[in-house]
């Protein structure tokens, strides 16, 4: 392939990555193209490799960051393959392998709770196609019609003759057969699943429990050097100069290099030495005009957007909400605010690269290996085919390791200055938390009108805040309108639909950007929008003199799936039944990432100390691939919900100052309540699991605090309201 063609393809991939956080290429690779000549006799197709010992190797393209995607996808393949689950082995594939085989494994990006819901059909087809050729190989061997055969746990049987054989014995012959016509593949009804849909144990648990799991940060290569990096503490600031002579004489220090216009790195024989030298390195920064920005000035910028007529658009405008509210018997108004928050992944950003004149390799924890491959190739100046990205299990992702791949770019820029030498770049915890792609900051003004019977006759809300698309994908903003920031308020069903019907409704967004970089944060905009709406609905219900559950039910007749999960959570929590003295309940429902969720929180509050005793969470994700993993993800979302209540990335003098865990509190084990999960699959759609329930955790707790204190919580983190979770 020529260099010109490579560059074009590289730019194509980069553009696709920026657009969606992952590749969204529309072409289809037929099943016949899945087989590759001379790939080895045991490869039945791209998805399945059967070994002589009967173990079935299932190849997985998506990233694993603790959410169980690898196990869930393997279950789907194994279900259609009809193999022995006890003999399944996972084999992650690389971005280079996917490219070399014309992207037969398709999209490798893992984010937006799409790891399973976007790939379930074609991975199941891969398993079914493998089963069909294995059975055809048996039919050919015995010279009988294939429809006379059946298979169970990898054993193919012919009842009429009493013969049987195994996948391991058939694999060589099956690998030589053509792939079946895609039209001939009939997938199982999910209600008939035997492997998928079951609460099977994770395939990656043992190495984690035994401490054998290797993460990108654990990589050790011969001759490897370690880089510690520091970027200008003020976003969009510049590196002016540094005095390398002050640290080059220190033990183990190999070099000090300029990485780009914004950052400098120290290279050493250990991370500790590189880090210590970097802290001692005299650096001059040009902080620019952003050095004067603070959380207070940003708050004023957002507040202006709540009433301005400039750069505002209405995404929904049903009836005449302003008039209905103005003429209502009773009017309710409130303004809510949510801060920047960091991802705080347990494994800080890191990447190891080895670049030569002929090849570039990267070992990196990424949610999008193809995006990392594109960035690596671009910096190395090599065709994509001469580059490779190895993607181990991630030590946390939550959206941070998705689109931008900024840490891959930095590592490649450093590695290019040390041709042939492996360079492992590791961010310090301070660098990681002060140079994040933060959850967007926002404010929301809400107004409601009630008639003399307490019926909601009008609702108007305006979100004023930062846009992820403006930072990462400006071309997704059409005519100044960015609907992405209104997730959860959509009219159309399917992804993030508003669950209430209001006769007069106006939903607006005022884009008010800052210099702070933003990005997806495990749930992205549904987290903030769920807080705004569901906490306000609690205020409106109280103003109407109605029970919060009953008030919501009156508005949800046209949204049966929203209502079903709300009722499921309320029933499980015993809504309406007496509570122990001093305890109070709060409720919330919301939709995001294709799934319907609801939560009921039980809390007590004394002298500003909030104790969350119990959380009941209900979810309908359509098809449930592994109920145990779903429950685990729901429970994990509680921890992130707690983070959104008590964490804040504060801006002072243009920089983030909450740069380590002593300043940035995250959920502690002692804070976690008793959690009960209700999984209510309706088996008629594919929804997400990793993110949806986060958006109801915080508002349910906030509404319980409101019930306990009589005062709504409108400004997060809770410390802004004189509250603390214990």
């Amino acid at each position: 392939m020529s260099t010109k063609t490579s560059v074009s393809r590289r730019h194509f991939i980069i553009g696709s990555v920026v657009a969606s956080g992952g590749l969204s290429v529309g072409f289809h690779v037929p099943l016949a193209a899945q087989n590759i000549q001379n790939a080895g006799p045991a490869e039945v197709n791209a998805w399945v490799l059967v070994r002589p010992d009967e173990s079935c190797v299932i190849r997985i393209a998506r990233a694993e960051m603790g959410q169980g995607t690898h196990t869930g996808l393997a279950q789907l393949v194994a279900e259609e393959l009809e193999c022995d689950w006890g003999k399944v082995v996972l084999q992650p594939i690389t971005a280079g392998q996917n490219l070399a085989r014309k992207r037969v494994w398709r999209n490798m990006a893992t984010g937006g709770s799409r790891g399973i819901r976007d790939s379930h059909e074609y991975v199941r087809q891969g398993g079914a196609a493998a089963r069909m050729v294995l059975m055809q190989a048996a039919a050919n061997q015995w010279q009988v019609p294939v429809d006379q055969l059946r298979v169970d746990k990898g054993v193919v049987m012919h009842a009429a003759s009493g013969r049987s054989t195994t996948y391991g014995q058939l694999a060589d012959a099956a690998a030589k057969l053509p792939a079946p016509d895609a039209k001939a593949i009939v997938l199982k009804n999910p209600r008939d699943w035997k492997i998928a849909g079951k609460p099977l144990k994770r395939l990656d648990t043992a190495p984690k429990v035994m401490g054998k799991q290797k993460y990108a940060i654990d990589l050790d290569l011969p001759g490897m050097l370690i880089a510690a990096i520091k970027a200008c503490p003020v976003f969009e600031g510049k590196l002016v100069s540094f005095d390398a002579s002050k640290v080059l004489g220190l033990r183990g220090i190999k070099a000090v290099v300029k990485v780009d216009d914004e950052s400098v790195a120290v290279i050493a024989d250990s991370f500790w030495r590189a880090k210590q030298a970097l802290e001692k390195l005299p650096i001059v920064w040009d902080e620019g005009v952003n050095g004067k920005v603070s959380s207070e000035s940003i708050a004023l910028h957002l507040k202006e957007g709540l009433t301005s007529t400039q750069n505002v658009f209405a995404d929904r405008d049903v009836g005449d909400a302003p008039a209905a509210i103005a003429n209502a018997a009773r009017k309710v108004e409130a303004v809510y605010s949510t801060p920047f928050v960091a991802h705080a992944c347990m494994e800080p950003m890191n990447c190891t690269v080895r670049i030569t004149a002929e090849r570039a390799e990267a070992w990196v924890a990424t949610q999008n290996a193809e995006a990392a491959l594109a960035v690596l190739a671009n910096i190395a100046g090599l065709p994509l085919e001469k580059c490779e990205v190895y993607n181990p299990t991630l030590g946390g992702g939550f959206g941070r390791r998705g689109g931008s791949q900024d840490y891959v770019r930095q590592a490649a820029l450093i590695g290019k200055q040390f041709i042939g030498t492996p360079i492992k770049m590791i961010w310090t915890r301070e660098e990681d938390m002060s140079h994040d792609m933060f959850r967007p900051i926002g404010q929301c003004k809400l107004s409601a009108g009630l008639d003399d019977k307490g019926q909601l006759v009008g609702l108007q809300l305006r979100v004023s805040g930062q846009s992820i698309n403006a930072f990462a994908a400006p071309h997704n903003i059409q005519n100044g309108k960015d609907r992405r920031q209104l997730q959860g308020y959509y009219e159309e069903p399917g992804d993030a639909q508003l669950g209430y019907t209001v006769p007069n409704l106006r939903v607006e967004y005022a884009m008010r950007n800052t210099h702070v970089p933003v990005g997806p944060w495990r749930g992205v905009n549904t987290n903030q929008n769920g807080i705004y709406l569901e906490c306000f609905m609690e205020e409106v219900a109280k103003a109407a003199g109605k029970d919060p559950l009953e008030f919501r039910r009156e508005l949800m007749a046209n949204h049966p799936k929203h209502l079903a999960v709300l009722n499921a959570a309320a029933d499980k929590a015993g809504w309406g039944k007496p509570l122990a003295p001093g305890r109070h309940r709060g409720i919330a429902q919301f939709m995001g990432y294709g799934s319907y969720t609801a939560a009921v929180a039980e809390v007590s509050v004394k002298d500003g100390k909030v104790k969350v005793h119990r959380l009941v969470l209900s979810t309908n994700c359509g098809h449930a691939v592994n109920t145990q993993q779903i429950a685990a993800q729901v429970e994990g979302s509680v921890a992130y919900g707690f983070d959104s209540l008590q964490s804040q990335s504060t801006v002072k003098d243009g920089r983030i100052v909450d740069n380590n865990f002593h300043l940035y509190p995250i959920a502690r084990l002692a804070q976690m309540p008793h959690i009960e999960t209700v999984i209510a699959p309706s088996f008629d759609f594919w929804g997400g699991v990793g993110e949806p329930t986060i958006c109801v955790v915080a508002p349910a707790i906030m509404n319980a605090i409101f019930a306990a204190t009589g005062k709504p919580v409108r400004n997060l983190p809770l410390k802004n309201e004189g509250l603390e979770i214990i």
Side-chain angles (χ1 to χ4, degrees), residues 604-624:
S604 61
V605 183
K606 184 177 180 181
D607 299 327
K609 306 295 184 182
V610 178
K611 180 62 180 177
V612 184
H613 300 278
R614 182 188 182 203
L615 267 171
V616 176
L617 301 112
S618 175
T619 183
N620 176 10
C621 56
H623 296 293

Side-chain angles (χ1 to χ4, degrees), residues 361-432:
E361 298 171 286
W363 292 259
V364 59
T366 175
Q367 291 176 240
N368 193 338
E370 290 181 303
L373 181 71
V375 170
L376 177 66
N378 190 46
I379 299 300
L382 293 170
L384 289 166
E385 307 89 276
K386 292 189 176 183
C387 302
E388 184 58 284
V389 170
Y390 309 99
N391 190 18
T393 298
L394 284 60
F398 316 119
R400 175 61 181 94
R401 290 182 153 101
S404 70
Q405 308 298 306
D406 51 328
Y407 49 99
V408 178
R409 175 182 169 275
Q410 289 177 334
L413 286 169
I414 298 170
K416 196 174 181 180
Q417 300 181 56
F418 296 85
I419 296 297
T421 299
I423 301 292
K424 182 198 287 186
M425 182 204 68
I426 304 175
W427 285 21
T428 63
R429 177 60 63 187
E430 291 77 10
E431 191 75 7
D432 189 84

